[in-house]
Amino acid sequence: MEKTFAMVKPNAVQAGLVGRIIARYESARLSVVAIRFKKMTQADAEGFYAEHVGKPFFPELAKFMTSGPSVQLVLAGEDAIAKVRALNGATNPAKAEPGTIRYDWATSMTENAVHSSDGPESAAREISFWFKPEEIFEYAAQDQRAKSVL
Ligand code: CMP
């Protein structure tokens, strides 16, 4: 089972979308194996988005990401990295496909509702940035979808 990192950003938290966004991941047969709710500090933003520090958009990104709490998630499942990227949609909401999270709920390139790792190296780095190994739970997710309302 592949693991990836995803985040529900502050605008989506404040819009009351935490449950609906996580439900989309779970409906795609991904399991939440680690979860945290945290208001990022400036140091968090600079560490997590290290590759973007110094880019023109970074100050606005850091201001937004430290403006309120966000949800940090590790999701596990088959092709988790590609699945979550597809569910999230394009970084720029103007280019996001209908049915994606960003098509529905991103309001701008910065306030784009969600984040996810873009490949295996970034997934490993981002997961270990937010979570200790003992905070990530391995379990065999049972497919209960036939019994659920999702
Ligand atoms: P995210 O997937 O969290 O990764 C970096 C974030 O920077 C991105 O989503 C956007 O919210 C934000 N961002 C703002 N402007 C840009 C840009 N021009 N290119 C890439 N990312 C940008």
Side-chain angles (χ1 to χ4, degrees):
M1 283 294 167
E2 189 172 66
K3 289 194 193 73
T4 190
F5 176 78
M7 185 154 45
V8 182
K9 293 189 177 184
N11 65 313
V13 171
Q14 291 188 11
L17 296 168
V18 171
R20 273 174 281 182
I21 288 173
I22 293 176
R24 288 201 184 184
Y25 300 141
E26 290 183 327
S27 295
R29 301 188 198 181
L30 296 165
S31 301
V32 176
V33 296
I35 187 164
R36 172 168 299 126
F37 191 49
K38 185 178 190 227
K39 185 173 172 181
M40 274 195 193
T41 62
Q42 181 70 19
D44 288 332
E46 288 174 8
F48 178 66
Y49 284 123
E51 72 198 275
H52 298 308
V53 174
K55 291 185 184 169
F57 63 83
F58 183 75
E60 186 185 327
L61 176 65
K63 187 174 175 208
F64 166 59
M65 293 304 301
T66 58
S67 68
S70 52
V71 181
Q72 292 78 39
L73 297 162
V74 180
L75 299 166
E78 209 175 307
D79 292 327
I81 296 170
K83 259 189 193 169
V84 176
R85 284 175 63 76
L87 289 164
N88 284 358
T91 304
N92 181 348
K95 295 187 178 154
E97 291 287 317
T100 63
I101 291 168
R102 284 169 169 156
Y103 181 90
D104 288 341
W105 295 314
T107 53
S108 71
M109 185 86 146
T110 300
E111 301 200 12
N112 63 352
V114 282
H115 165 87
S116 62
S117 307
D118 62 9
E121 289 84 26
S122 64
R125 187 189 77 79
E126 293 175 2
I127 289 168
S128 64
F129 183 86
W130 290 108
F131 295 99
K132 298 179 192 143
E134 63 268 28
E135 294 173 321
I136 302 167
F137 294 91
E138 306 280 349
Y139 58 94
Q142 294 187 4
D143 189 350
Q144 297 284 342
R145 288 171 309 127
K147 295 183 206 160
S148 85
V149 295
L150 293 177

